[in-house]
Amino acid sequence: MFKNLIAGEWINGSDVIRNLNPSDTNDLIGEYSRASVDQTKQAIAAAKTAFPRWARSSILERHAILRNAANEILSRKDELGRLLSREEGKTLAEGVGETVRASQIFDFFAGECLRLAGETVPSTRPGVSVDVTREPVGVVGIITPWNFPIAIPAWKIAPALCYGNTVVFKPAELVPGSAWSIVDILHRAGLPEGVLNLVMGKGSVVGQTMLTSADVNAMTFTGSTATGKQVALASIEHNRRFQLEMGGKNPFIVLDDADLSIAVDAAVNSAFFSTGQRCTASSRLIVTAGIHDRFVAAMVERMSSLMVGDALKPDTHIGPVVDQGQLKQDIDYINIGKNEGAKLAFGGELVERGTPGFYLRPALFTEATNQMRISREEIFGPVASVIRVKDYDEALATANDTPFGLSSGIATTSLKYATHFKRNAEAGMVMVNLPTAGVDFHVPFGGRKASSFGPREQGKYAAEFFTMVKTAYATA
Ligand code: ADP
C-alpha cells in the first residue's frame, strides 16, 4: 500500500485507489491510500508549521535537494517512465521522455535557487533607498490532472520549493504512482518534515478541503475549465492567489505553400500523439483550399500506418485512452461530429488488442465547420477535424474564433505569413512548422482567454506566481 506523506510521516488513509493499467485493466499497478478530510487538514497544518523555517532555509539546502531529486529521477528514467506509461497509457517513449523532462525541470529550479536576486534602485527622494525583493507566498496547494503524471507535478512542485514555499500536493486519482514516486524521491532527498505533503484522493474530498482552507495561501491548478472555475471562486473567497491551466481547442493551419511532409508530421503529432490527451493538442486542422485534398490524402495514409496498442509495446505509436469515462466522451463526440454533418474520413472505431484496454483508432473528420461542437468544445482524445478555408486571412480568423487560446500552429514556407501569424495568433504559445504540443521547460508556458488564468508557469517566469514582491524604502 502506497501511503500519503503528512508532516514527514507516511500515513494510511481512509480507503484505497486501485491504480489500473488502461492498456490492460487486469493489471493492477498498486493500491494507493486515499487521504481523508481530516488528513488533508493535517497536511495543510503541517505545511503551515513548516513554512517559516523553509522560507528562511539556505539556498544551498534547497539547491541540493532539488538537484538530488533531478539526478535520481534521471537515473531511474526507464523504471519511472515505464510506471508512467503503465498507469496513464502514453507510449513508453513518451513516458520516458516525460520523466526526463521532470528531471530537467528539477535541475532548472535547483539552479534558480542560486540565482535569486532583487533590485536596489534610487528613490525619487534624496537620502532614501528602495529595495525590491521577492519573498515566498506561504502554503501552496497543488492540484494536477492525469495527462502528464510526472511533468506537471514537477513544474509546480519544483518552483514552489525553490522559492521557499511549502506544499500540499493532490495528484489526479488515475495516476497516483508517478506522483507518489516524486514525493518519495524529494522526501528522501532531505526535505524537512511538512515542507512537501502528499494527499491522494478525490477532487470532491481532498481537493475541496484544500480549496476551502483559509491556510492555503496560493493554489496552482491544471485540469478542466469547470474545476478551474471552482478553484477561482474559492480562491477569491479566501483572498488567495491562484493560477489556472485549463482547456484548449488549438488550431493548426496548413497553407497552400506548406511543405506537405512537415505539415503532416506536425498535424499527426499535434492531434494524435499521447492519444490526443494534451491540453496543447490540435483538434482543428485549418487547411487552405489549394492543398486541402493532398493534405487529407496524406493524413489518411499516415494514419493508416499508426499502430494503436499496448502502451508498453515497442511498436505502439498510439496508446490507449486513459479510462472508460474518457473513452465514452471521445466516442460521444465522434457521434456528435457525424450528426453535425462532418465526414468521418478515417478511424474512430474501437480496436481489440487481446487485453481489456481502452483502444480507439485515431479519428479524422473532414468537411467540418468551425461552428460545430466538435470544433468548439475540447474533446481530449485522438479526434481531429479538417476545416477547409479559402486563404490565410480566413485561416487566421478561424483559428482565433474560439473561446480558448493556449497554443496555435501554422505550416507555411512564407516568411510573411509566419511572421504575421506569430504576431496575430490569439494564443499564449505559437508554433511555426512545429506541432502545437511539445514545449521547452525553460521558457514560459500558458495561454489566453478561457485556457489560462494568472502568471505563466515554467522557466524564470514561474517566480511571478511562486513569490511575492516587496518594495522596501529606507533612509540611506
Ligand atoms: P480532468 O480529469 O478532465 O483532467 P478535472 O478538473 O476533473 O479534470 O481534474 C483535475 C484535477 O482536479 C484532479 O486532480 C481532480 O481530482 C481535481 N478536482 C476535480 N474536482 C475537484 C473539485 N471539486 N475541487 C478540487 N479539485 C478537484
Side-chain angles (χ1 to χ4, degrees):
M1 170 76 72
F2 294 90
K3 300 175 185 172
N4 294 292
L5 184 67
I6 300 171
E9 302 285 335
W10 292 106
I11 311 271
N12 245 329
S14 50
D15 62 324
V16 163
I17 304 167
R18 286 168 50 82
N19 189 3
L20 299 179
N21 176 352
S23 300
D24 176 3
T25 54
N26 288 329
D27 176 25
L28 173 67
I29 296 161
E31 298 197 322
Y32 292 77
S33 189
R34 276 199 185 100
S36 65
V37 168
D38 277 351
Q39 288 172 332
T40 307
K41 288 180 178 164
Q42 286 161 21
I44 296 167
K48 186 177 179 183
T49 306
F51 175 68
R53 140 111 177 70
W54 184 247
R56 286 176 173 67
S57 59
S58 137
I59 54 170
L60 264 189
E61 180 183 359
R62 295 183 222 164
H63 168 80
I65 291 168
L66 295 175
R67 166 61 63 84
N68 288 340
N71 289 345
E72 182 172 339
I73 293 168
L74 193 60
S75 70
R76 292 172 57 196
K77 69 180 166 48
D78 293 325
E79 169 214 340
L80 293 172
R82 191 177 173 81
L83 169 65
L84 195 168
S85 294
R86 197 171 154 214
E87 70 176 351
E88 199 271 350
K90 63 182 67 176
T91 65
L92 201 48
E94 290 169 331
V96 173
E98 187 185 329
T99 305
V100 171
R101 171 57 51 96
S103 165
Q104 290 165 331
I105 291 166
F106 278 105
D107 195 47
F108 178 87
F109 284 105
E112 284 298 276
C113 301
L114 306 181
R115 285 188 283 269
L116 270 171
E119 288 178 289
T120 301
V121 297
S123 167
T124 54
R125 286 164 282 176
V128 173
S129 71
V130 185
D131 289 339
V132 182
T133 53
R134 290 189 180 274
E135 296 183 355
V137 180
V139 175
V140 175
I142 295 179
I143 298 182
T144 56
W146 49 259
N147 64 331
F148 284 92
I150 197 163
I152 293 179
W155 83 48
K156 294 179 188 296
I157 293 172
L161 298 177
C162 161
Y163 297 116
N165 303 284
T166 55
V167 171
V168 179
F169 167 38
K170 190 207 97 61
E173 281 222 293
L174 283 173
V175 290
S178 301
W180 188 92
S181 299
I182 56 169
V183 171
D184 169 55
I185 288 169
L186 282 159
H187 177 58
R188 285 187 292 95
L191 276 180
E193 67 177 47
V195 171
L196 172 64
N197 301 273
L198 173 70
V199 278
M200 298 178 285
K202 287 190 174 26
S204 56
V205 178
V206 176
Q208 274 298 316
T209 306
M210 290 164 70
L211 293 190
T212 52
S213 167
D215 290 331
V216 175
N217 306 111
M219 275 293 320
T220 176
F221 167 83
T222 302
S224 65
T225 311
T227 310
K229 200 165 262 180
Q230 292 190 43
V231 173
L233 292 173
S235 296
I236 288 166
E237 184 75 23
H238 289 93
N239 230 345
R240 78 165 73 97
R241 61 173 60 194
F242 58 98
Q243 176 183 55
L244 311 175
E245 293 296 345
M246 301 172 288
K249 195 70 197 172
N250 307 297
F252 184 75
I253 294 175
V254 179
L255 295 186
D256 285 355
D257 65 23
D259 176 317
L260 188 62
S261 97
I262 289 177
V264 170
D265 280 351
V268 166
N269 178 325
S270 303
F272 307 124
F273 285 10
S274 299
T275 321
Q277 297 172 152
R278 298 186 283 191
C279 47
T280 46
S282 175
S283 49
R284 293 188 296 140
L285 308 175
I286 300 168
V287 184
T288 48
I291 198 171
H292 178 276
D293 293 355
R294 277 183 295 140
F295 174 77
V296 169
M299 284 293 287
V300 168
E301 190 188 332
R302 178 69 60 84
M303 290 173 75
S304 332
S305 70
L306 292 175
M307 170 58 93
V308 178
D310 188 316
L312 300 180
K313 293 213 164 128
D315 56 349
T316 294
H317 301 115
I318 309 287
V321 172
V322 74
D323 73 349
Q324 186 64 50
Q326 183 63 50
L327 183 64
K328 178 176 182 314
Q329 178 166 316
D330 296 349
I331 290 169
D332 285 351
Y333 271 110
I334 291 168
N335 289 328
I336 288 169
K338 288 182 194 161
N339 291 335
E340 286 179 310
K343 182 179 152 223
L344 188 58
F346 186 85
E349 72 275 9
L350 295 177
V351 181
E352 289 291 331
R353 282 292 173 261
T355 49
F358 308 110
Y359 298 112
L360 177 65
R361 196 175 311 283
L364 186 72
F365 280 108
T366 54
E367 313 304 329
T369 72
N370 201 44
Q371 302 316 316
M372 292 175 175
R373 283 184 63 196
I374 53 166
S375 302
R376 303 211 77 79
E377 299 169 18
E378 186 174 52
I379 301 172
F380 221 62
V383 183
S385 313
V386 176
I387 300 169
R388 189 199 306 252
V389 292
K390 79 174 176 301
D391 56 14
Y392 170 73
D393 289 339
E394 189 185 350
L396 177 66
T398 306
N400 287 340
D401 176 13
T402 169
F404 296 104
L406 187 56
S407 180
S408 197
I410 191 167
T412 179
T413 52
S414 154
L415 182 61
K416 180 177 103 176
Y417 291 135
T419 306
H420 189 272
F421 186 71
K422 281 199 280 184
R423 302 246 162 84
N424 292 284
E426 293 170 4
M429 295 173 295
V430 181
M431 310 290 184
V432 178
N433 293 319
L434 289 167
T436 54
V439 296
D440 288 358
F441 63 87
H442 65 305
V443 288
F445 176 94
R448 299 181 181 180
K449 302 202 269 189
S451 289
S452 306
F453 186 91
R456 289 290 185 260
E457 302 199 78
Q458 303 211 56
K460 67 180 179 345
Y461 283 68
E464 298 298 319
F465 181 74
F466 290 100
T467 65
M468 299 187 290
V469 169
K470 180 178 276 176
T471 315
Y473 297 80
T475 52

